[in-house]
Amino acid sequence: MHPHDFAVQARRTDAASAGHAPPAISDYALIGDCRVAALVSNAGSIDWLCLPHYSGPSVFAKLLDPNGGSCSIRPSVPFTVTRRYIEDTAVLETIFETNDGSARVLDCLPVLDGIGTVRPMREVLRIIEGIKGTVPFAALVDPRPDYARTKKVPKRRGRLGWAYLWKNEILNVHSDLDFSLHATAIEAAFTIGEGKRHYVSLAYSQGEMAIIPPLGAEANDRLEQTLAWWRKWSAQVVCKGPYRPQVVRSAVTLKLMTFILSGAIIAAPTTSLPEELGGSRNWDYRYCWLRDAGMTMEALVGLGITDDARAFLTWLLHATRQTQPRLQIMYDIYGRQNLEESELTHLSGYRNSRPVRIGNGAHSQQQLDVYGEVVHAAWVFSVAGGRLDAADARMLKGVGDIVCRKWREPDSGIWEKRGRQHHYTFSKVMCWVALDRLIKMHNDHTLVLDDVTSMQRERDAIYQVVEDLGFNASLNAYSKFFGSDRLDASLLLMPVMGYREASDERVASTFSLICDKLAKNGLLSRYEPEATDIRKNEGTFGICSFWAIQQLAMRGEFAEAEKRFVHLLSFGNDVGLFAEEIDAVSGEALGNFPQAFTHVGLINSALALEQARPVSAQEVKS
Amino acid sequence: MTMLMSQSLMLWGLIATVCMTTILEASRGFGFSRMSLPFIMGSAFSGRRSNATVIGFALYMLGGWLFAFLYFLFFASVGIYTWWLGAIVGLVHGAFLLVCAIPLLPYVHPRMASEHHGVTARRQMEPPGFLAVNYGAQTALVTLIAQAVYGGVLGACVQIQQAMMN
């Protein structure tokens, strides 16, 4: 496969086994409406959907337990499957080929105006279309609300379909298929012929009367409007060069994880997909991490998606208001802070990777780098021409004050290590970034600092401490934390964050050592484990590998950077999605999926590559 | 005296309607019901959710005022001005709504679907069913409570005014 091309890979899937063996993480594709997101397997099954928003309770959770509930539409005879996103959109097309014909399933969550019209709160629309010959299909809808803690028998409502009711919520299944009841599930068997279409619409409402969207021509219209919405949104992505398809796919994926009602961007739409198969490192990522803020803002601004950049900054500065000027490391989509962690013991976990967790206990950790991330995000936004208002400036100055007070304290570091705190070098660097950007904004009159001299003094003090204690002379590299002899890939961000030039001797030697010691099969791990560390066999981190590419591009080593970039792209799945981690041996995706931060890394690397791309003789001539 | 009562009724009608609306809307927020009578009324006039909600609330408040006069006529006709009679009238009114008026909606509301005719481009709203049970099992109870409070507040206001005048 040419690395620049998203040609889909055909996979032989046996219908007899489909739906029984859990799909690989990379077998999933993401659909959504910027409020909720669903994972669709390459066997046509929606195995993950939370309502009414990303971090709400699941309705379909077969991803985490065979009895978690799903919505499956697939041929009832052996088939092969190919799939793709319709160009520049989040509409998924899954094509099933059988001996007697082929058919496709189009999956989307219609993105429509819910104020100017009367629409359901959320809708999943599945359209089955015959392409050639005839294909026998089996459809099953089996919602298990509240993380499968609730089993509801649906009520038949005549021509309106089937209604699953729980609490003050309703999921209405409306279809032109003849569904019948089997325990809590409804099932239908049908055969589709060439040019015919069938429809399954799952409409959800909470606390309001259900709206049941029509099928047929009106459903086709909703699909067309959704395609048009995504194409219009994607058209604003500014990125030239051979990697535009991958960049647009990453941008669309990022948009799918952007909660349109607040501007928050979640880390991933899933919980507890394991970092190691069968292991216990299973976390809930359906929240917003501030540590991702600066790089995410660089990606949004770099792509010219200014409306989303503004919304994201507004969320960053205002949703965090309740804890300001102190910042938590994560918040939920509305800025709520109490993300109490608990375990869902009734779920067996993805391929028996227990426990399944909801909430995230790391929310109460101290992580000093988040201050730098937030200020850096605001600076990137303002440099790109965005305006900060007086309240924004006040909040940022408050962050500066707290950094001046706190930077001498130890913290848990960017990787949220539970247990003993350290003086992480990257955390100190990001404290330096926070003060440096504030001083820059003061100098260009974006805001006015009360005492810029003392802030400069603190910034320089941080710099001195990092150089004295963060740089390990015997290693000839910056180390993970003060006094450590271990490396950490986050330090690849030093030149990206403007701490030192990419060509700087210390930065270059750190880069070389990280690539030497943390690389596996051309991919980077996030850090060298300590002697006492239990995480010795974790996968490599996609984001860290992208950071290395970014630094290479900044240094002008275009050919090497591009070679690594192409290699890294080969680890995306058939529709261009990346998880948090990649198993360096098998190439399998690990951890929550898809991961916003990895896609942010892809975008920033691609942008850096385009900046570093040598100008050809023909371009010079023209 | 009747003139004074009429003027006061404007205020009492508003207070009683506010109480009833608060109970009904709170019941949605707390998960007891998904029914919104203002939205049902407003959506009969507009297919835009924003307009339907605003129009519905305006009509609902207006309806609350008008019904206050009917309630007062009833109090005057039997010569009893008490909160408990108001509550009883409210309960009867609520029962009528649930049993007779609301189930008729799919036949008269231009945007409400029905289980017999299905969904069209114009008719997409979920029908209420008997006792509006489609909108939640506790919808009937909440509606009866809200109507009883409406009548009770009206009756209490008239009762207080009567006591003050005596």
Side-chain angles (χ1 to χ4, degrees):
Chain A
M1 183 177 73
H2 190 278
H4 299 181
D5 184 17
F6 268 146
V8 286
Q9 300 160 317
R11 294 180 187 196
R12 185 81 198 170
T13 307
D14 178 7
S17 63
H20 294 288
I25 290 172
S26 57
D27 285 343
Y28 285 97
L30 184 72
I31 55 172
D33 63 355
C34 309
R35 294 166 181 83
V36 294
L39 286 184
V40 189
S41 78
N42 62 1
S45 181
I46 298 178
D47 289 347
W48 183 248
L49 173 68
C50 297
L51 292 167
H53 50 71
Y54 302 117
S55 42
S58 68
V59 172
F60 298 134
K62 196 176 174 189
L63 180 69
L64 298 177
D65 190 293
N67 298 314
S70 65
C71 172
S72 163
I73 299 175
R74 62 181 173 85
S76 49
V77 294
F79 60 84
T80 56
V81 62
T82 53
R83 58 182 187 166
R84 63 168 188 138
Y85 283 108
I86 306 283
E87 196 182 3
D88 292 350
T89 76
V91 176
L92 182 69
E93 179 193 62
T94 307
I95 298 177
F96 297 103
E97 301 261 0
T98 69
N99 287 337
D100 297 322
S102 62
R104 64 175 185 167
V105 176
L106 295 163
D107 286 312
C108 72
L109 276 82
V111 186
L112 303 170
D113 173 18
I115 294 292
T117 54
V118 176
R119 299 278 181 201
M121 202 170 171
R122 313 279 182 263
E123 183 193 5
V124 178
L125 178 62
R126 311 196 74 181
I127 300 177
I128 309 104
E129 184 184 78
I131 299 173
K132 193 175 68 183
T134 57
V135 181
F137 266 87
L140 172 145
V141 184
D142 188 15
R144 300 282 172 90
D146 194 20
Y147 299 110
R149 286 183 286 213
T150 303
K151 278 187 183 178
K152 286 289 174 185
V153 177
K155 289 186 176 153
R156 180 156 208 169
R157 288 189 173 174
R159 296 181 64 181
L160 302 181
W162 297 81
Y164 287 88
L165 297 146
W166 69 98
K167 295 182 185 167
N168 63 339
E169 298 167 72
I170 176 170
L171 185 75
N172 198 91
V173 184
H174 187 213
S175 175
D176 54 1
L177 299 174
D178 188 17
F179 277 102
S180 56
L181 184 64
H182 298 266
T184 61
I186 52 172
E187 297 179 20
F190 63 100
T191 298
I192 194 150
E194 194 173 321
K196 301 284 182 207
R197 277 190 169 188
H198 284 298
Y199 305 85
V200 177
S201 162
L202 312 177
Y204 168 83
S205 294
Q206 181 192 43
E208 60 186 37
M209 296 156 55
I211 304 296
I212 303 152
L215 308 172
E218 285 83 4
N220 294 338
D221 283 348
R222 293 202 295 285
L223 173 67
E224 289 303 322
Q225 286 173 44
T226 303
L227 287 167
W229 189 91
W230 279 108
R231 282 178 181 139
K232 188 177 171 195
W233 185 87
S234 299
Q236 65 182 322
V237 171
V238 180
C239 177
K240 291 178 181 166
Y243 304 111
R244 181 176 165 83
Q246 288 87 341
V247 170
V248 170
R249 180 52 44 211
S250 288
V252 167
T253 305
L254 210 53
K255 181 68 177 170
L256 281 171
M257 289 185 257
T258 304
F259 190 58
I260 205 164
L261 304 181
S262 69
I265 299 177
I266 56 167
T270 57
T271 177
S272 301
L273 287 181
E275 294 176 15
E276 181 187 9
L277 283 181
S280 61
R281 300 198 312 270
N282 318 318
W283 314 109
D284 191 349
Y285 275 28
R286 298 171 299 159
Y287 304 110
C288 318
W289 266 255
L290 298 194
R291 80 158 188 218
D292 306 351
M295 305 302 291
T296 304
M297 183 59 79
E298 286 196 4
L300 296 176
V301 166
L303 294 176
I305 314 172
T306 46
D307 286 348
D308 290 74
R310 173 76 252 185
F312 180 52
L313 186 71
T314 302
W315 180 85
L316 271 181
L317 300 184
H318 298 282
T320 56
R321 193 170 286 271
Q322 281 183 300
T323 61
Q324 286 174 16
R326 188 183 68 80
L327 295 176
Q328 278 194 178
I329 68 169
M330 72 181 88
Y331 296 83
D332 86 346
I333 48 173
Y334 290 111
R336 289 177 291 218
Q337 321 134 47
N338 189 10
L339 311 177
E340 206 62 47
E341 187 173 289
S342 61
E343 295 182 2
L344 299 176
T345 52
H346 64 288
L347 296 180
S348 59
Y350 177 81
R351 294 192 183 177
N352 291 316
S353 305
R354 288 174 187 267
V356 171
R357 294 184 175 92
I358 53 171
N360 200 308
H363 74 273
S364 55
Q365 284 185 355
Q366 166 155 278
Q367 223 176 289
L368 293 173
D369 59 298
V370 297
Y371 296 101
E373 289 286 351
V374 170
V375 180
H376 181 67
W379 177 74
V380 169
F381 180 74
S382 73
V383 166
R387 277 200 60 208
L388 300 178
D389 61 28
D392 300 338
R394 260 198 313 279
M395 183 269 170
L396 292 169
K397 284 193 286 183
V399 169
D401 293 339
I402 206 161
V403 169
C404 289
R405 283 204 307 273
K406 278 183 167 285
W407 72 264
R408 292 174 182 81
E409 297 176 10
D411 72 340
S412 300
I414 185 174
W415 306 119
E416 295 158 20
K417 293 274 283 181
R418 299 187 180 198
R420 193 179 158 199
Q421 295 188 330
H422 294 282
H423 290 280
Y424 285 95
T425 307
F426 182 70
S427 297
K428 305 300 182 203
V429 168
M430 290 310 290
C431 287
W432 178 91
V433 167
L435 302 187
D436 183 69
R437 301 303 181 269
L438 283 169
I439 293 163
K440 281 192 165 85
M441 284 192 273
H442 173 86
N443 291 341
D444 64 19
H445 309 295
T446 303
L447 51 76
V448 180
L449 294 173
D450 301 327
D451 187 358
V452 70
T453 312
S454 72
M455 198 165 276
Q456 280 168 337
R457 201 166 46 239
E458 291 292 329
R459 179 191 63 177
D460 297 344
I462 298 172
Y463 185 86
Q464 205 52 53
V465 165
V466 170
E467 293 306 309
D468 292 346
L469 303 175
F471 189 79
N472 185 322
S474 59
L475 278 179
N476 195 26
Y478 292 99
S479 61
K480 184 154 66 167
F481 53 81
F482 295 173
S484 168
D485 59 356
R486 307 289 161 132
L487 294 161
D488 190 313
S490 63
L491 296 164
L492 292 171
L493 284 171
M494 281 177 151
V496 176
M497 288 293 169
Y499 176 80
R500 279 191 166 218
E501 293 291 315
S503 55
D504 177 86
E505 196 181 317
R506 285 186 164 194
V507 169
S509 61
T510 305
F511 176 88
S512 301
L513 210 57
I514 285 174
C515 291
D516 186 36
K517 291 203 167 182
L518 299 185
K520 294 174 193 166
N521 188 19
L523 303 162
L524 290 180
S525 301
R526 54 181 171 170
Y527 52 68
E528 275 186 292
E530 299 296 316
T532 53
D533 217 324
I534 55 164
R535 304 177 179 188
K536 288 202 166 57
N537 296 316
E538 69 175 17
T540 57
F541 268 59
I543 184 67
C544 300
S545 311
F546 281 120
W547 288 339
I549 292 164
Q550 220 176 328
Q551 193 179 137
L552 278 170
M554 288 176 77
R555 208 185 294 163
E557 294 182 32
F558 177 79
E560 176 63 16
E562 187 173 44
K563 190 178 121 193
R564 288 186 186 213
F565 187 72
V566 168
H567 178 63
L568 202 45
L569 287 184
S570 69
F571 291 98
N573 75 354
D574 57 328
V575 288
L577 303 186
F578 286 85
E580 180 183 32
E581 295 181 32
I582 301 160
D583 186 302
V585 179
S586 66
E588 259 306 316
L590 291 170
N592 285 306
F593 182 85
Q595 177 87 355
F597 208 18
T598 313
H599 285 279
V600 164
L602 188 154
I603 292 168
N604 286 335
S605 299
L607 293 174
L609 273 176
E610 285 318 303
Q611 262 190 335
R613 183 178 293 281
V615 182
S616 68
Q618 194 177 9
E619 282 170 320
V620 172
K621 199 176 165 188
S622 68
Chain B
M1 178 186 153
T2 310
M3 188 65 188
L4 180 65
M5 282 289 219
S6 300
Q7 287 169 353
S8 301
L9 262 179
M10 293 290 285
L11 179 63
W12 303 333
L14 178 66
I15 293 170
T17 307
V18 165
C19 292
M20 177 173 64
T21 310
T22 304
I23 291 170
L24 287 174
E25 290 302 301
S27 76
R28 295 204 303 134
F30 287 113
F32 297 119
S33 172
R34 290 182 290 107
M35 183 172 75
S36 169
L37 288 173
F39 181 70
I40 290 175
M41 292 174 83
S43 57
F45 297 94
S46 174
R48 292 175 65 89
R49 187 180 284 273
S50 51
N51 291 355
T53 306
V54 174
I55 293 169
F57 264 98
L59 287 174
Y60 197 64
M61 298 303 280
L62 191 65
W65 267 328
L66 294 176
F67 268 98
F69 284 97
L70 290 178
Y71 274 55
F72 177 73
L73 281 178
F74 179 76
F75 296 148
S77 69
V78 295
I80 303 171
Y81 302 88
T82 61
W83 67 267
W84 55 263
L85 182 65
I88 289 171
V89 176
L91 277 175
V92 173
H93 183 187
F96 172 78
L97 277 176
L98 288 165
V99 177
C100 303
I102 291 178
L104 278 178
L105 279 172
Y107 304 102
V108 295
H109 194 294
R111 288 190 174 75
M112 192 164 281
S114 90
E115 295 189 9
H116 306 296
H117 299 104
V119 176
T120 66
R122 189 170 166 82
R123 291 175 175 268
Q124 299 182 27
M125 283 170 59
E126 176 187 20
F130 182 62
L131 296 178
V133 75
N134 284 0
Y135 302 148
Q138 287 150 319
T139 302
L141 182 65
V142 169
T143 306
L144 288 175
I145 291 171
Q147 290 293 143
V149 167
Y150 173 81
V153 168
L154 273 179
C157 289
V158 183
Q159 189 176 2
I160 291 165
Q161 180 131 16
Q162 288 275 322
M164 286 168 68
M165 289 168 76
N166 293 333

